[in-house]
Amino acid sequence: MLNYIWISLIAIGILVAVGNDVRDEAQNTYRNGVPFEASIVIQKSPTPLRQTWEGDLVLTAEAFNSFYGITSATSEVRQPVVISVAPSGELSIAMPIGPATPDRWKDMAKAAANREKLTGVVQSIAVAGDQQTARVRIVLEPIRFVKMKAVTQAALDYASTAVTIALGLIGIMALWLGVMKVAEEAGLLRIVTRMLTPVTKRLFPDIPTDHPAIAAMIMNMAANMLGLSNAATPMGLKAMEELNKLNPKVGTATNSMITFLVINTGGLILIPATAIAVRASAGSANPGIIIGTSIFGAACATVAGVIAAKLLQRLPRYRRDFEPEPGKEASNG
Amino acid sequence: MGDLFRTIINAISIMAIPLLLFVFLGWGIIKKVRVYEVFVEGAKDGFSTAVRIIPYLVAMLCAIGIFRASGALELLTSVLAPVTNLIGMPSETLPMAFMRPLSGSGSLGIMTELMKVHGPDSFIGVLASTMYGSSETTFYVLAIYFGSVQVKNTRHAVPAGLIADVFGMLGAVLICRILFGV
């Protein structure tokens, strides 16, 4: 099944991106080649040495919205710009992307020739008598294939993110694997395990009750509940490694592995610290109000997941994976 | 009551790691384990485990990245909005429900955005943060856990994980409607 989900994510992503780009092209969402008028509040006028105007481009929210046919701009646009004069007398404009840039222009810049700024041609400029303001008529550079470019960028970015995440695990993995090894040699894990045998026997009937995998899984779950994800992941991986030692068919997930994984993805956590922090910073009167509701939600997820795993493992198509049947390839699912 | 619970859990969370290190290594000394050597022996595997995960994580995150960047989520939301309205789930929180199993940073972004727009104490704000707390990033966990032991045939892990996610999201909607219902 993972095969299908994986290819669906990629295929749907690319098809939707193409569809969005075709639609943008047909509707001219980015108003390629269409001029618009705006005022410029001039801060620096050209001098004989420097043939540029610098200032803020000012456009009302209504004008911006109606030009692009959107409703997202809520406040007046004030965008720093530089207008420069080429030797041929042609005027060009550059808008560096910054915090003041409206979202639409930020999106457009992502697909622009230079991702840091949007450029365009100034068709006309009329400077007011006091040299303080000017009216300009601008055509921005054509923006095309926004989503396709975003998809390309995402694929490359995420590939390196994956490596960054994995490499970031090395240190904490080493720390916890070392500690766990000491605990194992000292026989401490067996003590932890014995206390919870009644529970683990039911959840993981295939695993001998004093196997190190049980201890690692218990510690992983405890760390998860306390929100110590830095400790939980190494312990979880250690548990997987131990579970894999009991795996008759390496490369195929065992029932216990899947049950364990589902308990992990259920994400039962006593204090959802991240969500609380975001609520607090958003100015909530009671950031902790979601503790109870989150525990309820996660408990639903965990219980449903474990039941689903236990029921699904009885299906013939999943049992078949562990039956010796030469000549028949196990289906990847 | 709620505050007391929170204080206790917070205290446990803060003390857990130092205490665990102390007890585990201390117990080792008592049991005459050569702690330093054994620690280093165990820690050796840290590097190889982390490196083993890389191909699995690259495959998973690239697919998720492409999906996120394409705008497919917006499309999915608009298609499914009428269905979720039936169960009293505001369609604004649908992207959250889809993103939660796919990407931790993505769902964090959506949650933050929803709170900014609707307010953290609005029904949508509370529901979004409950949803965030109600599940883990299924596909990420799947990639690194199975990646570390080179499991390629995941059997029923994905359906079971997704069933867990669906029930987590439904549970969040249910409890929020009961407690903070609109």
Side-chain angles (χ1 to χ4, degrees):
Chain A
M1 182 156 180
L2 190 54
N3 270 324
Y4 299 116
I5 298 222
W6 191 69
I7 196 63
S8 316
L9 284 173
I10 297 177
I12 292 175
I14 292 175
L15 290 177
V16 171
V18 172
N20 276 333
D21 284 344
V22 169
R23 191 204 55 201
D24 286 347
E25 195 63 34
Q27 299 179 347
N28 202 4
T29 305
Y30 301 108
R31 300 293 180 262
N32 293 334
V34 182
F36 68 96
E37 291 197 356
S39 324
I40 304 262
V41 176
I42 299 172
Q43 271 141 17
K44 286 184 194 161
S45 289
T47 62
L49 286 173
R50 192 176 43 88
Q51 286 289 302
T52 58
W53 280 276
E54 284 176 34
D56 283 343
L57 182 142
V58 179
L59 200 59
T60 62
E62 296 79 52
F64 188 82
N65 282 341
S66 77
F67 180 66
Y68 283 110
I70 52 175
T71 51
S72 62
T74 47
S75 55
E76 188 186 58
V77 175
R78 274 192 92 88
Q79 164 69 39
V81 292
V82 178
I83 296 176
S84 37
V85 186
S88 61
E90 213 168 68
L91 293 166
S92 63
I93 187 167
M95 310 196 291
I97 302 304
T101 309
D103 289 341
R104 171 51 65 97
W105 282 349
K106 281 182 187 159
D107 290 344
M108 286 165 64
K110 283 177 192 152
N114 179 339
R115 297 169 63 85
E116 308 292 314
K117 62 185 178 197
L118 272 177
T119 57
V121 175
V122 181
Q123 291 186 333
S124 68
I125 182 164
V127 180
D130 56 2
Q131 300 287 317
Q132 295 295 306
T133 59
R135 286 298 289 176
V136 287
R137 202 177 145 83
I138 301 168
V139 180
L140 291 179
E141 63 180 309
I143 301 293
R144 293 207 160 83
F145 307 120
V146 173
K147 292 293 182 193
M148 283 313 271
K149 285 176 183 165
V151 160
T152 309
Q153 195 60 37
L156 302 177
D157 284 351
Y158 275 72
S160 40
T161 306
V163 177
T164 313
I165 292 176
L167 293 185
L169 275 174
I170 294 176
I172 46 169
M173 277 299 298
L175 171 66
W176 285 107
L177 289 177
V179 172
M180 294 283 281
K181 184 90 177 171
V182 173
E184 198 182 323
E185 298 255 317
L188 190 62
L189 295 188
R190 224 167 294 141
I191 298 175
V192 177
T193 310
R194 215 166 288 155
M195 290 192 296
L196 287 170
T197 300
V199 183
T200 54
K201 214 166 54 186
R202 289 206 172 72
L203 279 176
F204 310 104
D206 311 342
I207 310 296
T209 46
D210 58 347
H211 195 272
I214 299 277
M217 288 194 284
I218 290 173
M219 309 242 316
N220 162 270
M221 292 175 211
N224 263 332
M225 283 194 197
L226 292 174
L228 308 170
S229 51
N230 274 345
T233 306
M235 286 164 179
L237 297 183
K238 168 85 176 160
M240 290 303 274
E241 195 189 310
E242 294 293 341
L243 288 174
N244 206 35
K245 286 180 187 164
L246 299 168
N247 189 351
K249 198 165 158 191
V250 173
T252 300
T254 62
N255 291 342
S256 296
M257 284 180 181
I258 294 173
T259 308
F260 174 58
L261 194 97
V262 168
I263 293 174
N264 256 282
T265 61
L268 189 53
I269 183 171
L270 297 176
I271 300 279
T274 316
I276 293 178
V278 172
R279 289 176 58 74
S281 73
S284 167
N286 190 353
I289 202 168
I290 56 148
I291 293 177
T293 55
S294 291
I295 293 179
F296 180 84
C300 286
T302 309
V303 171
V306 170
I307 294 175
K310 294 280 175 199
L311 292 178
L312 286 169
Q313 75 189 30
R314 292 165 185 231
L315 290 183
R317 57 174 296 200
Y318 293 126
R319 288 167 66 151
R320 214 178 295 137
D321 289 324
F322 283 100
E323 279 161 13
E325 214 177 334
K328 187 163 186 197
E329 266 269 292
S331 70
N332 275 11
Chain B
M1 175 59 203
D3 277 346
L4 182 69
F5 172 75
R6 218 173 132 194
T7 319
I8 293 173
I9 300 287
N10 273 338
I12 296 176
S13 307
I14 291 165
M15 293 191 312
I17 287 181
L19 211 64
L20 221 56
L21 289 176
F22 181 76
V23 170
F24 277 26
L25 299 178
W27 192 276
I29 289 282
I30 294 169
K31 291 282 170 182
K32 304 215 163 42
V33 174
R34 300 162 73 86
V35 277
Y36 182 74
E37 286 157 47
V38 171
F39 179 95
V40 173
E41 192 57 39
K44 261 187 206 164
D45 291 336
F47 184 78
S48 56
T49 309
V51 172
R52 258 203 315 268
I53 299 170
I54 291 177
Y56 296 84
L57 211 50
V58 169
M60 190 61 82
L61 291 193
C62 281
I64 290 169
I66 289 173
F67 184 80
R68 273 183 66 181
S70 68
L73 206 57
E74 291 83 353
L75 196 71
L76 215 54
T77 305
S78 57
V79 172
L80 282 174
V83 183
T84 53
N85 281 336
L86 286 179
I87 59 162
M89 178 176 165
S91 60
E92 290 89 338
T93 58
L94 248 182
M96 184 72 197
F98 283 115
M99 190 53 90
R100 191 69 195 97
L102 292 176
S103 161
S105 59
S107 50
L108 184 63
I110 293 177
M111 173 174 74
T112 315
E113 181 68 28
L114 284 176
M115 279 188 209
K116 222 187 287 169
V117 176
H118 300 277
D121 295 322
S122 65
F123 181 68
I124 289 175
V126 171
L127 179 57
S129 37
T130 300
M131 283 174 150
Y132 185 85
S134 294
S135 179
E136 252 299 326
T137 318
T138 302
F139 285 92
Y140 168 79
V141 175
L142 197 93
I144 63 169
Y145 277 36
F146 281 152
S148 73
V149 290
Q150 316 276 292
V151 161
K152 294 171 205 85
N153 180 1
T154 59
R155 291 173 70 224
H156 52 290
V158 176
L162 290 179
I163 288 171
D165 288 330
V166 169
F167 275 85
M169 295 301 141
L170 292 179
V173 173
L174 178 72
I175 192 78
C176 285
R177 273 183 67 85
I178 291 173
L179 295 181
F180 314 102
V182 274

